[in-house]
Amino acid sequence: DSGVTQTPKHLITATGQRVTLRCSPRSGDLSVYWYQQSLDQGLQFLIQYYNGEERAKGNILERFSAQQFPDLHSELNLSSLELGDSALYFCASSVFYTSNTGELFFGEGSRLTVL
Amino acid sequence: QQQVKQSPQSLIVQKGGISIINCAYENTAFDYFPWYQQFPGKGPALLIAIRPDVSEKKEGRFTISFNKSAKQFSLHIMDSQPGDSATYFCAASLPFTGGTSYGKLTFGQGTILTVHP
């Protein structure tokens, strides 16, 4: 158990809808990262927050947004969903400011299926 | 420039054999190279990591070999066991220099390792 909690584990929705994925980092970790894992794209970095502030951005679509709250949990909002958004979304946390300093701890992921 | 290319996509090894997974990168500014292991239904977990100032790092049966001039690094799993069957990801990250480029761990496409008993 990594200590990172993601909800929901599975989500099925229709095209055009909006969903919110939630992540609770390990106790004491200030950084939260979101990754998208699909069969053909591997693990793609979406966005990172550190202590409530956006710190780094990857290939995150404009239809997607995220935030980190004062209690350090984070939410990833996906809107106007398309079939291609079906994927496994991982949240990871670390105590460090950047991902090249040490270990990222990943949750078990939220599997999104868009029909 | 931000890509990390991993091969092979899948690998089948007999118990007791050596598993070798290779990764190549273009951006010479990368300075941190971790390997993550992912079991079905779980998130990736850090296995071992290396920085470019060393050519090899060993932890138990797992060894990273790093070739800075060739811009390649590889994971060797000695005495492979059925419990090692998982997906392995290499990754690379830029140093902290500010801006939006830091904090981005770029992953390879993954290698599905199957170790037969």
Side-chain angles (χ1 to χ4, degrees):
Chain A
D1 182 6
S2 68
V4 177
T5 303
Q6 289 188 247
T7 57
K9 289 193 183 302
H10 301 277
L11 192 54
I12 301 174
T13 188
T15 54
Q17 295 298 305
R18 172 190 169 95
V19 299
T20 297
L21 310 180
R22 183 188 169 102
C23 169
S24 293
R26 289 188 325 154
S27 177
D29 284 358
L30 298 177
S31 274
V32 170
Y33 304 78
W34 286 98
Y35 283 84
Q36 179 191 58
Q37 184 177 33
S38 56
L39 284 175
D40 58 342
Q41 293 288 323
L43 271 166
Q44 297 289 315
F45 170 70
L46 296 179
I47 198 163
Q48 178 207 354
Y49 282 83
Y50 180 83
N51 202 22
E53 301 279 335
E54 181 184 305
R55 270 335 199 185
K57 215 167 185 177
N59 300 321
I60 187 167
L61 299 172
E62 285 191 9
R63 300 183 286 108
F64 296 1
S65 64
Q67 54 183 327
Q68 186 180 27
F69 295 86
D71 67 352
L72 300 178
H73 91 272
S74 178
E75 292 181 357
L76 179 67
N77 300 295
L78 315 174
S79 62
S80 303
L81 285 168
E82 302 175 358
L83 295 177
D85 297 328
S86 294
L88 200 50
Y89 291 85
F90 284 106
C91 169
S93 75
S94 83
V95 67
F96 299 107
Y97 190 70
T98 69
S99 64
N100 82 325
T101 311
E103 182 172 1
L104 298 190
F105 294 87
F106 283 81
E108 295 193 347
S110 292
R111 181 171 295 282
L112 173 67
T113 303
V114 182
L115 301 175
Chain B
Q1 279 273 312
Q2 295 283 11
Q3 281 189 328
V4 178
K5 295 183 179 178
Q6 184 172 345
S7 63
Q9 282 188 310
S10 62
L11 181 61
I12 298 175
V13 174
Q14 293 296 317
K15 178 182 175 181
I18 302 174
S19 304
I20 302 174
I21 304 170
N22 300 299
C23 284
Y25 62 96
E26 288 296 323
N27 192 339
T28 55
F30 284 140
D31 77 335
Y32 177 62
F33 302 89
W35 285 87
Y36 278 77
Q37 179 188 54
Q38 183 181 23
F39 292 106
K42 301 293 184 182
L46 179 67
L47 187 62
I48 187 172
I50 198 169
R51 295 200 183 268
D53 52 346
V54 296
S55 60
E56 186 174 282
K57 183 174 181 180
K58 184 176 181 180
E59 289 185 4
R61 296 184 293 108
F62 300 90
T63 300
I64 299 179
S65 296
F66 187 82
N67 187 329
K68 191 173 181 178
S69 60
K71 293 184 284 186
Q72 294 176 348
F73 58 110
S74 59
L75 176 69
H76 292 64
I77 306 174
M78 311 300 288
D79 187 25
S80 299
Q81 299 296 313
D84 297 330
S85 297
T87 301
Y88 292 81
F89 293 95
C90 63
S93 181
L94 293 171
F96 173 51
T97 57
T100 58
S101 292
Y102 65 80
K104 291 166 66 170
L105 200 58
T106 300
F107 283 87
Q109 292 295 94
T111 296
I112 301 172
L113 172 65
T114 303
V115 182
H116 285 156

